[in-house]
Amino acid sequence: MRLPVLLCTLAALCAGPAAGAERSCADLRQFYTGKGFTLTGVPQTEISGEHLRMCPQGPTCCTSAMEENLAGLSAQETEGLIREAGRSLQAAFNGLHRSFDTYFTELHSSSEHALQEALSPLGPLYSQNTRLYGDLYTDLRQYYRGSALNLDENLSEFWSRLLERTFKTSAPMDVNLSEDYLECVAKQQETLRPFGDVPRDMKAKVIRAFVKARSFVQGLLVSADVVKKVSQVSLSPECTKALMKLVYCPHCRSLASVKPCSNYCANVMKGCLANQADLDPEWQNLIDTMIQVASSFSTEPSLDVVLSSIPARIYEAVHYLQENMDTFTAKVYQTCGTPGEPGTGSPTVHEPKKKKSSSLTASEYKPSPTAGPRLEMQVSNLSSKLREMRQYWIQLPMALCSKLSGGSNQEKCWNGISKARYLPEVMGDGLANQINNPEVELDITKPDMTIRQQIMQLKIMSNKLKNALDGNDVDFQDTSDDISGSGSGMCVGGQCHRSRPGLYSFPPDNKGVIGATTSHSSSFTLLLLLLLALLLLRR
C-alpha cells in the first residue's frame, strides 16, 4: 500500500517542474531572428532568470546576451522614432520657409520690375541711372538673404547719389560740376531735405519691413536647425535600460501580446526625454514671437504695400525736388559756392532749367488686387502652422507612447513587472520633475550640454525677433559665439563673420619694458651677492 502512494507522490513532484521547464520559447526565437539576431545561445524552453539585469527576474526565454542585444535595439528604434518625428517637424519648417521666401522674393522682383513704368517719365534721369536703382534692389535682396549690410547707410547712400544725379541733370549744360562740388551737394541731403519727407519715411518703413522679413526667415531656419541637433542627441544608458524593460521584457516573459500601460510608458519617455522637454519654455516663446512677426506683416503699412510702393516713392521724391529745384539750387550755392564755367573759373550764376509740368503728373502705384488677399493667406497659414508646433517637445513623449501602448487595457497591461495595472503617478515635464521618476534614474544636476546650447540659440533668436518688431536689427552672430562658442548663427554665405579686435589694435612694443625689467633684476641680484660676501668676511 505504501509503495504506490510513494510512487504517486514522486510522480507528482517530478511533474510540476517538468511541466514548467517545458514551456516553449518558440515565439521569442521567431521574434528574435526577425529582428536580425542569430539563434546562437537562444534557449528552446524557459530558463531561470536570476541572470537578468534589466528585466524582472523569473522564468524567461532571454539570456544575458539577448537582454543586452534587445536593450540596444530598443534604444536604436526609439532614437529612430525621435529622428523621424524631428525630420517631420524640420520639413514643416522648411515648407514654411519656402512658402514665405517665394512670396517675399516675388514681391521684391515685382517692385523692381515696376521701376521702369514708374520712373520712365523722368527721362534721362532714369535711363542714364538704371544701375543706381538696380543697386538699391540688389542691396535690399542681399540684406534679406543675410548679408552683413547696414541698410540705413545703404539707403542714405542711395538718396545722396540720386541727389547728385538729379542736380547734375538739372544744371545748365555749360556749367562744370566737379566731383568735389557734387559731393558737397550730396551732403545737403540731411540738412536741406531736397526730396521732402520721402527718404526719411521710406527708409523707416523699408528697414522695418526688411528687418522683420529677414529675422523671420532666420527664425524658421534656426528652429529647424535646433530640431535637427536635438533629435540627434543619444539616449542615456539609464534610458536604454528603462526602454528595454518597457518594450522587450514582455517578450522575454512570453507576454509579447501585452501592450505597455500608458502611464508606465509616459514615465519612461518623460524620463528619457527630460532634457528635451526643458526646451519647451524658450521654444514656445520663439514660436509665439514668430507668430507676432508674421501677424505684423499685414498691419499698416503692410509688407506688400511697402515693397510695391518703392518705385512710386522714388518718383515722388524726384518730382518734389524738380518742383523746388530753384530754391534748393540757391541754398546749395550759398553752402557750396557757385560752380564756375569751364575754362574761366568765374562764379557765373545760371538759372536752373525748368521742367515741363506735363512730364511730372502724379504717379501712384498700388499692389495688385490679389496682393492683399495673398498676404492675408500667407500670414494665416504661417500662424496656424506655427501654433501646431508650440508644444512639440512636451508632446513628444506621448506621441512616442501612442505608437507603443495605443489602446492598451489599463487593467491588463505590462507594468514593468507583470500583466496588471500601473500604480505610480505620472511625472511632470522637464529634468527637475524627474527626481522621483520610478522608471528612469536621472541626475537632475547634470543637464545635457548640447540641449542647453540649443536653448540659448532659441533665446538669442527670440530676442532678435523681438527687436525686429521694433525695426531694430541685432547682430546675433556675435552673441551666439559668446554663449555657445559654436558659431551657428544664421548668416548666409559666410558674409556675417566678423573678427573682434584684440586687447591691442596693433602689437605693443614691449622691448623697452622687457629691457628695463631685466636691468632691474640684474642689479638686485648683484646687490644680494655683495651683502652675502660682506657677511662671510665678517665671520
Side-chain angles (χ1 to χ4, degrees), residues 96 99-100 103 373-383:
L96 290 178
S99 175
F100 180 78
Y103 167 76
R374 189 181 175 196
L375 176 59
E376 290 293 339
M377 188 180 300
Q378 186 72 219
V379 170
S380 176
N381 180 57
L382 289 169
S383 300

Side-chain angles (χ1 to χ4, degrees), residues 260-327:
C261 302
S262 58
N263 285 356
Y264 170 41
C265 181
N267 275 342
V268 172
M269 291 303 180
K270 281 175 181 278
C272 287
L273 300 173
N275 282 284
Q276 287 84 338
D278 280 345
L279 287 157
D280 180 66
E282 288 303 328
W283 178 263
Q284 291 205 34
N285 185 31
L286 176 59
I287 295 295
D288 289 342
T289 310
M290 282 200 287
I291 291 172
Q292 276 186 276
V293 173
S295 299
S296 73
F297 291 145
S298 58
T299 57
E300 293 297 332
S302 62
L303 190 63
D304 54 344
V305 169
V306 171
L307 265 71
S308 61
S309 65
I310 290 175
R313 299 311 306 275
I314 295 174
Y315 177 87
E316 180 186 345
V318 175
H319 180 38
Y320 178 90
L321 174 58
Q322 289 178 327
E323 287 287 289
N324 298 279
M325 185 60 77
D326 290 359
T327 304

Side-chain angles (χ1 to χ4, degrees), residues 73-146:
L73 179 64
S74 66
Q76 182 182 335
E77 289 176 339
T78 305
E79 287 175 345
L81 290 173
I82 293 169
R83 284 193 293 270
E84 181 184 343
R87 283 193 293 269
S88 177
L89 187 58
Q90 282 177 256
F93 274 114
N94 291 336
L96 290 178
H97 176 263
R98 279 194 303 273
S99 175
F100 180 78
D101 184 64
T102 299
Y103 167 76
F104 189 83
T105 303
E106 289 178 358
L107 204 59
H108 181 277
S109 298
S110 177
S111 176
E112 187 174 10
H113 292 152
L115 271 173
Q116 183 174 358
E117 182 183 355
L119 303 184
S120 56
L122 299 177
L125 187 55
Y126 170 71
S127 60
Q128 295 176 10
N129 298 292
T130 53
R131 184 173 178 178
L132 175 66
Y133 304 111
D135 286 347
L136 170 64
Y137 277 88
T138 298
D139 288 344
L140 293 175
R141 186 183 297 107
Q142 287 180 349
Y143 177 83
Y144 167 71
R145 293 294 181 202

Side-chain angles (χ1 to χ4, degrees), residues 150-299:
N150 186 316
L151 207 50
D152 189 294
E153 290 181 1
N154 281 58
L155 287 168
S156 295
E157 180 68 14
F158 166 75
W159 288 111
S160 295
R161 298 285 78 83
L162 183 59
L163 178 57
E164 286 182 15
R165 310 293 171 83
T166 309
F167 188 83
K168 188 175 183 179
T169 303
S170 302
M173 294 293 293
D174 56 347
V175 172
N176 179 29
L177 297 175
S178 67
E179 290 296 323
D180 289 342
Y181 192 87
L182 288 174
E183 194 66 33
C184 180
V185 172
K187 289 178 181 178
Q188 311 312 308
Q189 162 65 23
E190 290 297 326
T191 53
L192 299 182
R193 296 171 65 186
F195 295 116
D197 293 327
V198 172
R200 188 174 300 179
D201 181 62
M202 178 179 142
K203 182 192 290 186
K205 291 175 180 176
V206 167
I207 287 178
R208 184 181 290 268
F210 274 81
V211 166
K212 288 193 292 187
R214 174 163 110 154
S215 298
F216 183 74
V217 295
Q218 287 177 348
L220 294 173
L221 293 173
V222 165
S223 300
D225 189 56
V226 167
V227 173
K228 179 181 178 181
K229 287 175 177 163
V230 173
S231 298
Q232 291 172 345
V233 173
S234 300
L235 297 174
S236 68
E238 292 77 14
C239 172
T240 298
K241 292 177 184 177
L243 287 170
M244 170 61 194
K245 190 177 176 183
L246 174 75
V247 180
Y248 289 130
C249 284
H251 290 268
C252 294
R253 295 293 295 272
S254 299
L255 295 171
S257 62
V258 181
K259 292 183 178 180
C261 302
S262 58
N263 285 356
Y264 170 41
C265 181
N267 275 342
V268 172
M269 291 303 180
K270 281 175 181 278
C272 287
L273 300 173
N275 282 284
Q276 287 84 338
D278 280 345
L279 287 157
D280 180 66
E282 288 303 328
W283 178 263
Q284 291 205 34
N285 185 31
L286 176 59
I287 295 295
D288 289 342
T289 310
M290 282 200 287
I291 291 172
Q292 276 186 276
V293 173
S295 299
S296 73
F297 291 145
S298 58
T299 57

Side-chain angles (χ1 to χ4, degrees), residues 276-450:
Q276 287 84 338
D278 280 345
L279 287 157
D280 180 66
E282 288 303 328
W283 178 263
Q284 291 205 34
N285 185 31
L286 176 59
I287 295 295
D288 289 342
T289 310
M290 282 200 287
I291 291 172
Q292 276 186 276
V293 173
S295 299
S296 73
F297 291 145
S298 58
T299 57
E300 293 297 332
S302 62
L303 190 63
D304 54 344
V305 169
V306 171
L307 265 71
S308 61
S309 65
I310 290 175
R313 299 311 306 275
I314 295 174
Y315 177 87
E316 180 186 345
V318 175
H319 180 38
Y320 178 90
L321 174 58
Q322 289 178 327
E323 287 287 289
N324 298 279
M325 185 60 77
D326 290 359
T327 304
F328 176 69
T329 301
K331 290 180 179 179
V332 167
Y333 284 2
Q334 289 176 5
T335 306
C336 302
T338 306
E341 294 184 355
T344 64
S346 57
T348 307
V349 179
H350 290 268
E351 287 292 325
K353 288 183 179 178
K354 292 186 179 180
K355 300 289 180 180
K356 294 180 182 179
S357 58
S358 60
S359 65
L360 298 173
T361 53
S363 176
E364 294 183 1
Y365 288 87
K366 296 179 181 179
S368 67
T370 60
R374 189 181 175 196
L375 176 59
E376 290 293 339
M377 188 180 300
Q378 186 72 219
V379 170
S380 176
N381 180 57
L382 289 169
S383 300
S384 62
K385 292 288 178 61
L386 286 169
R387 286 191 186 95
E388 293 172 6
M389 303 170 180
R390 284 184 80 249
Q391 296 185 315
Y392 173 79
W393 297 109
I394 56 175
Q395 290 176 344
L396 183 58
M398 302 315 297
L400 296 176
C401 283
S402 67
K403 298 186 178 183
L404 296 173
S405 61
S408 62
N409 184 334
Q410 297 309 301
E411 297 296 331
K412 296 179 180 180
C413 52
W414 173 250
N415 64 7
I417 300 172
S418 61
K419 182 180 177 181
R421 187 177 183 84
Y422 182 74
L423 298 177
E425 64 177 349
V426 177
M427 298 294 104
D429 299 307
L431 189 59
N433 286 318
Q434 307 311 310
I435 190 168
N436 294 317
N437 192 317
E439 308 306 334
V440 186
E441 191 176 329
L442 289 171
D443 184 349
I444 64 170
T445 65
K446 295 181 179 178
D448 184 275
M449 295 314 297
T450 298

